[in-house]
Amino acid sequence: FIFLAPRILPTYWFERGLGDMGQSMGVTATGILLLRMVDPENRSGAFESFAYKQLFFEPIVGGGLYTAAAPALIARLGPVTMLWINLGVLAAWLAFGMLSFRKPS
């Protein structure tokens, strides 16, 4: 959180990063709760950013397509192959985030 959030999120990195971290540690409600704790008046606009992200995140990863397909893919391809595929996808998304959403200078 402390290392990646300032590098990936150009504005209000603390609020936005804390919401995403809360979601990754539990459920979406945890992320929303942490967002409301650090920014109760929503002055940063982090809540809207979180909500827009959810439109893309939840259908695919959050109990959606990938979550449903993961057991079958692991059984078919094997756990080591799936680990490498997931590491590749993670690296690609991190690179995309760091290159596309740099802090304005």
Side-chain angles (χ1 to χ4, degrees):
F1 163 68
I2 296 294
F3 178 76
L4 289 178
R7 289 165 176 78
I8 295 175
L9 303 169
T11 57
Y12 300 104
W13 69 268
F14 184 79
E15 292 85 353
R16 293 173 62 195
L18 193 63
D20 289 341
M21 184 190 73
Q23 177 190 12
S24 69
M25 294 177 75
V27 293
T28 302
T30 305
I32 292 171
L33 175 69
L34 288 172
L35 268 174
R36 291 293 184 202
M37 288 175 68
V38 297
D39 190 12
E41 302 294 321
N42 194 27
R43 292 187 178 138
S44 66
F47 188 74
E48 285 83 6
S49 297
F50 186 84
Y52 286 131
K53 177 204 47 120
Q54 291 305 102
L55 293 172
F56 298 101
F57 179 82
E58 288 299 330
I60 298 168
V61 181
L65 299 172
Y66 188 76
T67 305
L73 289 171
I74 292 170
R76 174 103 169 126
L77 301 174
V80 176
T81 303
M82 283 303 295
L83 173 66
W84 286 110
I85 290 171
N86 287 322
L87 287 174
V89 170
L90 173 66
W93 279 114
L94 284 174
F96 173 76
M98 288 182 175
L99 294 173
S100 299
F101 302 104
R102 294 182 190 171
K103 288 184 183 180
S105 55

